[in-house]
Amino acid sequence: MIGLIDYGTETQTELDELSFQADLSLQRLKPRLEQVWEEYATSDERQKIFESRLQEHWRPLFAQLHELYSGRYDFFYHLEQVLLTCALAFAQRSEDLCEIDRHRVIEPDWFQSQNVIGGALYVDLFSDNLSRLREHVGYFKDLGLTYLHLMPLFAVRPGNNDGGYAISNYRTIAPSLGTVEDLKLLADDLREAGISLVLDFVFNHTSDDHEWAQRAQAGQREYQEFYYTFADRTVPEQYERNLREIFPTVRRGNFTWHDGMGRWVWTTFNSFQWDLNYSNPAVFRAMLDEMLFIANLGVDFLRLDAVAFIWKQMGTSCENLPQAHLVIRAFNRLVRLAAPALVFKSEAIVHPDEVVKYIDQNECQVSYNPTLMALLWESLATRRTDLLVRTLSRRFSLPDGTSWVNYLRCHDDIGWTFDDDDAASIGINAYDHRNFLNAFYSGQFEGSFARGVPFQHNHETGDMRISGTMASLAGLERAIEQEDEEGKELAIRRMMLLHGVTLSIGGIPLLYMGEEWGMLNDYSFTTDPAKAGDSRWIHRPRMKWEYLEELDDESGRDSIRRRIFRSLQSMIAIRKRTLAFAGQEMSLFPTGNHHLLGYVRSNEASNVVVVANFTEHAQVLDANRLRTAGLGRFFKNLLNGVEYGTAEPVLLQPYELLWLKRI
């Protein structure tokens, strides 16, 4: 039986009519499918698999596409093209990947295992190229990673390309990194090592030198309609009334004049990144083709970049519109037909209430958790967990079958994405507090341990974000500069505290590679004209492979880098052995101490109580609170084997973290 429509508020009569139209359309399209199967000599078994998936997904998919595009004169043509694109990708998918599809259809929550541990890197900064990266698969295994996110590696425009997010060609690897065949070989190696491959899908915009943009510049109207272009400023000015500026220090407004075309182009981010027009079904079909090509390379997760911006509507902010969700859900349905092993990861650095709207089994199964990242740093700066606890209590839970991706640093800046009402409820003025955090983490607040730098400081609005590596933000750079041994110790403790929270709080923990060594800010980016204007390059240092020599050098046993690496490696191994850390379920418990964070992780019969001290001073946890949270009298800290009873208060040392299991 064909699946029910899962979107919209249609009446039963409307649903019946849509179902009739869906079934009739599929009946008319099936002969075209037969041509695909014949052309690619597709086995009867594969045809039956695709047919079965169509039975489940066609009606809701039809409803979604109908909602988006039925007003177009050529709707049925594009419907046909979308289905054929899916069938072609399925016919071309390797048997190895089809086997993974079969397993993950049966076990759709596979990514919620406590064994999933992520790392993210730029290929050129970590290993020079894809071929060299294959040589380092053993390094990832040794650290304990099972999920590897390669930052954008497809062909980009020369010069400034927004760190790889100005794509010139979705089917060509940047020549300096290798070839598509190199990427396939790496995907095979990672799969054999039990490591999932994660890639970015930059689908809000292309580079201005992409073939589609070049055709638009040549005057081809069909491709000008792939983007938003305007003959004069009349319409752009109407849109601008409601739009915010993403990079205000780079340029003003959201539109760029193109001399060659003699038209204004919508460019939300940079003048060379042209926003795609998803109200045109030809764009939807073309990007589906690119998505499925990437999926068939052996990719397990696709990070959907800038999801909040993909739909435009006059009179709105053009962010987080309902149609944006509908586009992603339609892509999700189509992936379920052609490559169901693929998982979508949303990248929505917007208000916390908007972030969570992208997370659903039928939309993006996993999502970055920018709010947790920001508030962990907030708690370090304030030495209080009030805002963190308030936010976690209201905004951490997710739908079944989904997961957060919890990170402390990434390739991007830190924006203070907490809710103003959450702050006000505990007596914090949000505007003043963001100013404090920016001052603190740029080292301009008296007593700050941090060495971050400003990113995109808008002097008119006061808006600012922060760049910096985890170690520099946590105080290690300052302590080394000042030869402050106590400062070094506290910085390391801060880092391990934060890692311990992301490894245990629920979801997929993600390291930005370099964190495992405590790498400091790299100020050399200022000498590169293509990077000098973007302070985010300060926290994208090049990997130093000589660090590995310290791991086995007994004389370096007290090395800061060795200590950080081994401590993190040990925490990852403990997480993998602890069933309680699987899944997303997390329960806060009141610690009675504003400086402590406490929560319980449970899975089947496994329970762990986590307590974290966010200050440089020892803190006390009332023993009775531990007893009631953990439902026991005696506990062992999984991190160091120390046992605790509940007859006396529990003392946490500066920045100490406890993973307590009942004994």
Side-chain angles (χ1 to χ4, degrees):
M1 179 177 174
I2 294 179
L4 295 176
I5 294 168
D6 66 350
Y7 185 88
T9 57
E10 294 85 351
T11 65
Q12 187 58 51
T13 300
E14 291 170 330
L15 289 174
D16 290 344
E17 179 61 24
L18 273 175
S19 295
F20 169 75
Q21 293 179 21
D23 295 349
L24 183 59
S25 296
L26 183 57
Q27 181 181 334
R28 290 171 173 172
L29 289 171
K30 279 188 174 180
R32 296 288 282 117
L33 288 178
E34 295 299 331
Q35 294 173 18
V36 174
W37 307 145
E38 184 176 343
E39 180 180 353
Y40 286 89
T42 308
S43 69
D44 289 345
E45 180 184 359
R46 276 220 188 186
Q47 293 180 44
K48 289 178 182 177
I49 290 172
F50 195 81
E51 175 67 25
S52 174
R53 293 174 186 168
L54 273 177
Q55 290 291 314
E56 179 180 357
H57 297 290
W58 178 252
R59 280 187 182 175
L61 172 63
F62 180 89
Q64 290 160 350
L65 296 177
H66 190 273
E67 174 99 5
L68 289 167
Y69 302 121
S70 62
R72 294 273 306 206
Y73 71 94
D74 52 355
F75 169 67
F76 189 82
Y77 167 78
H78 288 291
L79 182 69
E80 176 186 51
Q81 293 305 304
V82 163
L83 181 58
L84 293 180
T85 297
C86 236
L88 283 167
F90 177 68
Q92 295 169 342
R93 193 161 171 82
S94 74
E95 187 53 43
D96 285 349
L97 295 180
C98 285
E99 182 62 24
I100 295 173
D101 290 337
R102 287 189 278 271
H103 283 292
R104 290 183 181 169
V105 166
I106 296 171
E107 189 183 5
D109 60 350
W110 64 274
F111 55 83
Q112 294 185 304
S113 166
Q114 75 274 17
N115 291 306
V116 180
I117 315 284
L121 57 85
Y122 278 99
V123 173
D124 58 337
L125 297 176
F126 192 82
S127 294
D128 294 329
N129 55 53
L130 290 168
S131 181
R132 291 283 304 276
L133 188 60
R134 292 178 63 199
E135 299 172 11
H136 297 132
V137 172
Y139 173 83
F140 304 127
K141 284 194 68 174
D142 188 47
L143 181 57
L145 304 187
T146 57
Y147 163 122
L148 187 66
H149 180 181
L150 308 184
M151 304 304 292
L153 41 68
F154 293 101
V156 293
R157 69 190 301 274
N160 185 3
N161 51 58
D162 191 25
Y165 287 91
I167 305 296
S168 302
N169 191 317
Y170 293 92
R171 301 192 181 213
T172 302
I173 302 299
S176 61
L177 300 181
T179 66
V180 167
E181 187 57 34
D182 291 330
L183 181 59
K184 280 182 162 180
L185 291 171
L186 173 64
D188 291 343
D189 289 352
L190 291 172
R191 194 176 311 116
E192 185 176 346
I195 300 174
S196 299
L197 176 60
V198 188
L199 292 184
D200 288 85
F201 188 54
V202 184
F203 80 134
N204 175 71
H205 48 261
T206 72
S207 171
D208 58 3
D209 67 346
H210 190 284
E211 179 188 357
W212 303 337
Q214 289 179 329
R215 291 191 175 196
Q217 293 165 38
Q220 296 184 33
R221 182 175 171 185
E222 178 183 0
Y223 287 93
Q224 288 182 352
E225 291 184 358
F226 268 48
Y227 304 95
Y228 292 90
T229 71
F230 307 92
D232 58 44
R233 285 287 299 181
T234 304
V235 175
E237 290 293 349
Q238 293 173 348
Y239 276 110
E240 287 281 20
R241 293 169 191 160
N242 301 97
L243 303 180
R244 66 184 174 112
E245 295 174 328
I246 305 303
F247 294 150
T249 65
V250 175
R251 63 187 177 84
R252 305 314 304 265
N254 290 268
F255 298 85
T256 299
W257 175 257
H258 190 275
D259 283 331
M261 277 197 308
R263 297 182 71 83
W264 290 91
V265 184
W266 198 317
T267 54
T268 296
F269 294 96
N270 288 286
S271 60
F272 50 80
Q273 292 167 303
W274 290 17
D275 285 39
L276 287 161
N277 177 10
Y278 278 96
S279 66
N280 179 357
V283 170
F284 180 93
R285 205 285 313 167
M287 291 302 284
L288 172 68
D289 201 9
E290 305 306 300
M291 177 187 289
L292 294 178
F293 172 83
I294 295 171
N296 279 352
L297 297 177
V299 178
D300 299 282
F301 292 79
L302 268 189
R303 171 190 178 274
L304 303 184
D305 180 62
V307 292
F309 299 90
I310 62 173
W311 196 271
K312 324 296 187 189
Q313 183 174 312
M314 184 71 75
T316 74
S317 67
C318 298
E319 295 182 37
N320 306 304
L321 295 178
Q323 294 90 337
H325 294 279
L326 195 53
V327 166
I328 300 169
R329 284 175 173 253
F331 276 140
N332 187 308
R333 287 284 177 185
L334 288 158
V335 164
R336 303 282 75 78
L337 294 177
L342 187 67
V343 174
F344 283 174
K345 175 168 68 169
S346 78
E347 188 260 355
I349 311 303
V350 290
H351 187 278
D353 289 345
E354 296 296 337
V355 171
V356 75
K357 292 178 183 178
Y358 293 92
I359 310 170
D360 190 276
Q361 292 183 59
N362 294 315
E363 194 162 340
C364 293
Q365 296 90 345
V366 303
S367 172
Y368 284 112
N369 193 349
T371 306
L372 176 65
M373 180 268 295
L375 290 182
L376 287 174
W377 289 107
E378 187 271 347
S379 292
L380 274 189
T382 61
R383 279 77 164 182
R384 296 176 69 93
T385 61
D386 303 341
L387 186 53
L388 175 60
V389 169
R390 168 75 176 176
T391 302
L392 288 173
S393 68
R394 303 181 67 201
R395 308 178 191 280
F396 190 77
S397 62
L398 290 178
D400 291 342
T402 64
S403 179
W404 287 119
V405 175
N406 299 314
Y407 63 108
L408 300 165
R409 291 301 300 113
C410 67
H411 73 287
D412 219 339
D413 55 276
I414 299 178
W416 305 110
T417 56
F418 55 81
D419 178 69
D420 290 7
D421 289 338
D422 282 348
S425 70
I426 56 174
I428 294 175
N429 178 289
Y431 178 83
D432 292 343
H433 199 53
R434 289 188 176 95
N435 285 339
F436 156 71
L437 292 169
N438 283 324
F440 186 94
Y441 280 106
S442 59
Q444 299 171 41
F445 188 84
E446 185 176 355
S448 169
F449 49 73
R451 285 290 183 267
V453 298
F455 177 69
Q456 293 295 325
H457 188 186
N458 187 329
H459 294 279
E460 292 183 11
T461 65
D463 183 54
M464 188 175 98
R465 284 103 82 191
I466 293 293
S467 298
T469 67
M470 180 184 183
S472 290
L473 294 174
L476 188 58
E477 180 177 327
R478 174 184 177 277
I480 290 173
E481 284 177 355
Q482 300 182 358
E483 298 183 353
D484 178 357
E485 294 304 315
E486 181 183 6
K488 293 176 188 177
E489 174 65 25
L490 291 176
I492 294 170
R493 290 189 177 202
R494 291 185 194 105
M495 294 164 65
M496 301 320 300
L497 172 78
L498 296 188
H499 281 308
V501 172
T502 58
L503 284 163
S504 63
I505 198 167
I508 300 171
L510 178 67
L511 312 175
Y512 187 75
M513 303 309 291
E515 290 177 7
E516 74 273 29
W517 298 106
M519 295 181 76
L520 304 179
N521 287 343
D522 179 5
Y523 296 91
S524 67
F525 78 97
T526 57
T527 63
D528 184 340
K531 299 177 180 178
D534 186 343
S535 69
R536 292 174 299 179
W537 285 104
I538 203 169
H539 54 248
R540 301 169 183 171
R542 181 173 291 277
M543 173 64 177
K544 294 179 172 58
W545 288 102
E546 60 269 25
Y547 289 170
L548 266 68
E549 298 172 6
E550 297 182 22
L551 292 182
D552 300 316
D553 182 1
E554 288 302 316
S555 64
R557 120 174 2 189
D558 296 326
S559 151
I560 289 175
R561 287 187 287 267
R562 175 190 172 117
R563 177 178 168 190
I564 293 171
F565 185 95
R566 290 301 189 203
S567 297
L568 185 54
Q569 185 183 45
S570 174
M571 292 176 88
I572 289 172
I574 295 168
R575 170 190 159 95
K576 288 183 172 182
R577 296 195 299 266
T578 307
L579 183 60
F581 292 149
Q584 188 62 45
E585 190 67 29
M586 182 274 295
S587 300
L588 293 165
F589 73 89
T591 63
N593 185 325
H594 293 288
H595 307 296
L596 300 181
L597 172 67
Y599 53 89
V600 180
R601 296 299 315 286
S602 301
N603 194 310
E604 297 179 6
S606 179
N607 300 278
V608 172
V609 178
V610 178
V611 188
N613 175 10
F614 277 81
T615 80
E616 60 269 56
H617 305 292
Q619 298 294 326
V620 173
L621 173 68
D622 179 75
N624 194 50
R625 292 179 183 272
L626 173 59
R627 180 184 62 81
T628 54
L631 300 178
R633 295 177 55 206
F634 300 99
F635 299 84
K636 176 186 286 188
N637 185 3
L638 298 175
L639 296 171
N640 58 16
V642 174
E643 297 184 3
Y644 295 84
T646 55
E648 300 290 337
V650 175
L651 183 68
L652 284 87
Q653 296 303 316
Y655 298 114
E656 186 173 12
L657 176 77
L658 306 178
W659 286 358
L660 299 175
K661 189 173 181 64
R662 187 176 60 231
I663 56 176

